[in-house]
Amino acid sequence: MLGLELVVVLCATVLVCQVVGDRLRVAPPILLLAAGALLGFVPALREAHLPPEAMLLLFLPALLYWESLTTSLRGIRQDLRGIMLMSTALVILTAWAVAAVAHALGLPWGPAWVLGAAVAPTDATTAGVFARMLPRRSITLLRAESLINDGTALVVYGLAVGITVGEEHLTVPHVGWLFLLAYVGGAAAGAVTAWLGIQLRRSLDDPLLENVVTIGTPFTAFLLAEEIEASGVLAVVVAGLIMSQVGPRLIGAATRRQTQAFWSLSTFLLNASLFVLVGLEAQSAARDLTSDDLSHALITVGLVSVVLVAVRFAFQFGAVYLIRLLDRRPQQRLRRMSHRARVVGGVTGFRGAVSLAVALSVPETLDSGAPFPDRDVIVFVTSGVIMLTLVVQGLLLPPVVRWAQLPHDASAEEERSLAETTAAEEALKALPDVAADLGTAPEVAEWTRHEYETHLRVVRAADDSEDVVLSHKEDYTALSLALLARKRATVVRLRDEDHIDDTVLRQVQANLDIEEVRLSGAELSD
């Protein structure tokens, strides 16, 4: 029954924390973490533990795939050099700095490097929750860094664990081969999986079956990469980026709406549940430590958190000046960010799911049969760092963003206006030929032309809030929505009076829902 109880508790906790967070204007992840720690005091939930396999094979592929599907590939290409530096060099530097501090506090070098690898990568899904207030470029940089750096951290982790248990030997060729296999093999596995998904989609025309392919894609990519000992994380990211480019030409409207609804809800629940489970794991790890070990571990949590922020700030500013010294091309100067923007970037280095998965994946014993040294400390410190960075940096981020006074990024609105205007203009231009090819009646063609011209006038007038076209559009929308509500009530009444079946009700209601979404401009959360 524990599994069922945990599901009910998670749903109730997520619901309460989201509502309270919205009303108090506190980031819900902070409340979810606190709730998870408090739930650890409930005796029935003390046996609830998150298996590392569930994190690595269930949570991560799904969350990373949706993040990569909704990330701008153009933005990644424009800032590829900085993203690669942040996701490789910064991760290794951070792991080394944390390992040095942990070793100075008493951890042997092997476990110290394991801890460093666990907390080195930032988390894409956590960053996405907190970074919605940032400009588009900052969000893209943060997401891309978080998507790629997991592969680097997992290679460092594998080396640290292998050396500690006695399975690995540290040589430059061996380390180089592991990194090459992780990146090249992971990218290849993702590309192969995406290609297979594309071929399957071309042979299907049922939205349900197409979405089965969509759900299976990230897990297939992760599995294929793991089979060749490459980076499953990178495989999922590559598959998602490829599908984000191919999907718009390949996927139909019905399938896309279903996909959006499914992934929006599932990733929301997975994300929120993760924060609660992190709180539970931190509380569980604390119970396994003695009072002296706990005091020492708390000091380690504080110092490691400070090191993470300090290294991130130092790298962000140091790497910038090094790049400016070596690269003086005019296009490089155009891509420069302000120092205030970099301060914001330094505050957004949140830790999350990958860090917890790495810590929980530490083996119980060495090759000799002895317990893995300081495993409980690694799990507790990692959980504590996740909680501390989320709470402190999550509370700091809004005032820091206000202080930075980042310029308003209107590029997305401008590009959307361009897309809608150009699409409507070209559709109007093609209307006579298309109507002639289809044999459309002149009255229908004229009706369609009137609708498109009205839409085009609304799009062109969007910058002028006083334009009479916009006023008429608002009146039309309000009237249409009111009439839709009347139609919906009528259909429900017909069902209640047994004039129509529930099946018919759902079919008619689905069409009304589509029309309501179109009129109200409501968008599904990504």
Side-chain angles (χ1 to χ4, degrees), residues 50-53 55-56 60 111 113-121 153-154 157-158 161 278 281-282 285 351-364 372-386:
L50 189 63
E53 294 79 10
M55 180 72 77
L56 287 172
L60 280 183
W113 270 100
V114 172
L115 176 61
V119 299
L154 289 173
Y157 163 77
V161 169
V278 167
E281 289 294 337
R351 268 62 186 179
V354 175
S355 294
L356 183 62
V358 169
L360 293 174
S361 300
V362 176
E364 299 280 350
F372 193 98
D374 298 298
R375 185 182 187 276
D376 289 338
V377 174
I378 293 172
V379 174
F380 177 81
V381 172
T382 302
S383 302
V385 167
I386 294 171

Side-chain angles (χ1 to χ4, degrees), residues 407-443:
H408 175 64
D409 185 1
S411 58
E413 292 85 351
E414 294 170 356
E415 291 175 9
R416 177 171 177 173
S417 177
L418 172 65
E420 292 185 345
T421 302
T422 306
E425 288 173 346
E426 295 198 3
L428 273 172
K429 188 185 302 182
L431 192 150
D433 293 335
V434 173
D437 292 340
L438 295 175
T440 305
E443 295 82 3

Side-chain angles (χ1 to χ4, degrees), residues 216-229:
T217 297
F219 303 103
T220 303
F222 200 98
L223 176 63
L224 182 59
E226 290 293 309
E227 288 296 318
I228 61 174
E229 298 184 354

